[in-house]
Amino acid sequence: GVPLVKLRDVDENWDVINIAFAEPVSAGSTNGKMKMDLAGLSADYTRDDFKQDIKDLQAQGKKIVLSIGGYEGYCCCKPVCKRYQGICR
């Protein structure tokens, strides 16, 4: 397994940071509801820390790109306005 890299520890020279993967709650779903299981979280680095790191990096002008799908998490995003419901809750 690949260890979790805390977003705050990403080299400051990177302007675009990719996060993988958010997946549909139900594979093939068209309702836009997504889930993201963050492997490697602990008492030392929580879901709230992860979310705060995203906000802090964005405040520095960094771009955070969330990959949707993955090996088994295919999705169909219709209509466009429902694409990103529920990511990172």
Side-chain angles (χ1 to χ4, degrees):
V2 178
L4 174 75
V5 175
K6 296 176 185 175
L7 295 180
R8 64 184 71 151
D9 294 337
V10 171
D11 189 299
E12 66 183 30
N13 292 308
W14 289 98
D15 294 327
V16 179
I17 300 162
N18 297 305
I19 301 171
F21 291 100
E23 297 182 342
V25 173
S26 300
S29 166
T30 61
N31 67 9
K33 293 185 180 181
M34 299 285 172
K35 65 181 178 179
M36 186 168 178
D37 295 322
L38 300 170
L41 293 179
S42 66
D44 202 36
Y45 192 69
T46 66
R47 182 174 296 273
D48 288 336
D49 294 329
F50 176 81
K51 289 179 178 181
Q52 188 60 50
D53 282 355
I54 290 173
K55 290 176 186 175
D56 293 345
L57 290 165
Q58 288 174 326
Q60 297 170 30
K62 307 291 184 179
K63 303 294 182 200
I64 308 298
V65 177
L66 176 61
S67 294
I68 297 177
Y71 180 69
E72 295 180 13
Y74 66 94
C75 61
C76 181
C77 299
K78 296 177 187 174
V80 173
C81 63
K82 290 188 175 183
R83 282 187 183 180
Y84 305 110
Q85 291 182 9
I87 295 174
C88 243
R89 287 191 181 170

